[in-house]
Structure formats: structure tokens, C-alpha cells
Amino acid sequence: VEREAKHDADRPLVASVLKNRLKIGMALQVDATLQYAKANSVFSIQYSVLKDFDWWPQITSADKSINSTYNTYKYPGLPPGPIANPGIEAIEAVLNPAKTDYLYYVSEPDGTTHYARTLEEHNTNIAKYLQ
């Protein structure tokens, strides 16, 4: 939730989406966990370039096949450990998520987040806000 929502007002809604996905056994598909997995696989190989290291690299479609237990596109459920230190707002959001039936969200580069109940609505949001 900390890495997925840029604005505090979105944290309870993002927490709701993640809770809803866990409840039905749906993969979390969290980009932040994939970024963590990608960064850690590169870091372990190129640790000597730490000063210029990007801990939150841009994600590509190919990255979704990274073999890491932090890859929440590939492995359902929670990752094996934290990917960042959460702020109090993220902790409160997880403890008290909004009550929604959202299963999807997409965030614009400025952090504005759009929510959807169905994959069709989500794909429409992607086309509208990320293209």
C-alpha cells in the first residue's frame, strides 16, 4: 500500500482492492513488488554500482515472468516479506481498508488513481489514462 498509492486518500481504497483480491484468491499483481523483485535480481549482480542504482525500476511486460517469490503477478498471495517501510497512513489503511467491491486500480503518472470492479472497466481506465 505504501508503494502503490501516492496520495494518502487513496491508501484505504488500494488496501481494499488488495484485500478483495486476497479474499477471492486472485493474484495481487502489484507493480511495487515486481519492481522490488527486479531491483533485487539486478542488485545482486551489479552491487558495485549502488550509487546509481534504481530501486524502483520501470516495469515491462517481460518483467512479469521474473522468477521471484516477490513477483505477485506470478505467485498469488502475499510476498514473503516487506518491500518498503510503511508510513502510518499505509498501516492505518491496511487495518481499516475502505469497503468497496473494486478489484482493479491504475494510477496516472501524477498519482491520480482510478478504480474498477471488472477487468473490462480496468482496461478502459488503462486506455483512457495511460495511453
Side-chain angles (χ1 to χ4, degrees):
V1 173
E2 179 67 35
R3 295 285 312 154
E4 284 292 287
K6 186 172 185 172
H7 306 293
D8 288 341
D10 285 312
R11 294 189 197 286
L13 293 164
V14 168
S16 174
V17 170
L18 299 178
K19 179 182 173 186
N20 291 343
R21 285 181 170 205
L22 285 169
K23 186 176 181 179
I24 64 171
M26 184 177 177
L28 292 177
Q29 299 181 341
V30 173
D31 284 356
T33 62
L34 192 54
Q35 288 175 309
Y36 181 85
K38 182 177 180 178
N40 278 288
S41 67
V42 173
F43 176 72
S44 64
I45 297 167
Q46 299 177 351
Y47 62 90
S48 62
V49 294
L50 186 57
K51 69 179 182 124
D52 296 324
F53 191 71
D54 184 4
W55 281 103
W56 304 106
Q58 190 70 23
I59 298 302
T60 66
S61 293
D63 294 329
K64 294 177 183 176
S65 65
I66 290 172
N67 190 23
S68 168
T69 53
Y70 284 89
N71 182 348
T72 57
Y73 281 84
K74 191 172 184 176
Y75 298 100
L78 294 171
I83 62 165
N85 289 328
I88 191 68
E89 294 83 3
I91 293 169
E92 288 176 351
V94 170
L95 292 173
N96 301 295
K99 293 186 185 337
T100 74
D101 56 354
Y102 296 138
L103 289 174
Y104 303 92
Y105 61 91
V106 63
S107 296
E108 295 181 60
D110 70 357
T112 302
T113 305
H114 305 276
Y115 301 90
R117 291 168 180 83
T118 67
L119 182 58
E120 181 180 14
E121 290 173 0
H122 179 59
N123 288 335
T124 298
N125 285 342
I126 290 171
K128 186 173 182 179
Y129 299 111
L130 296 184
Q131 305 291 330

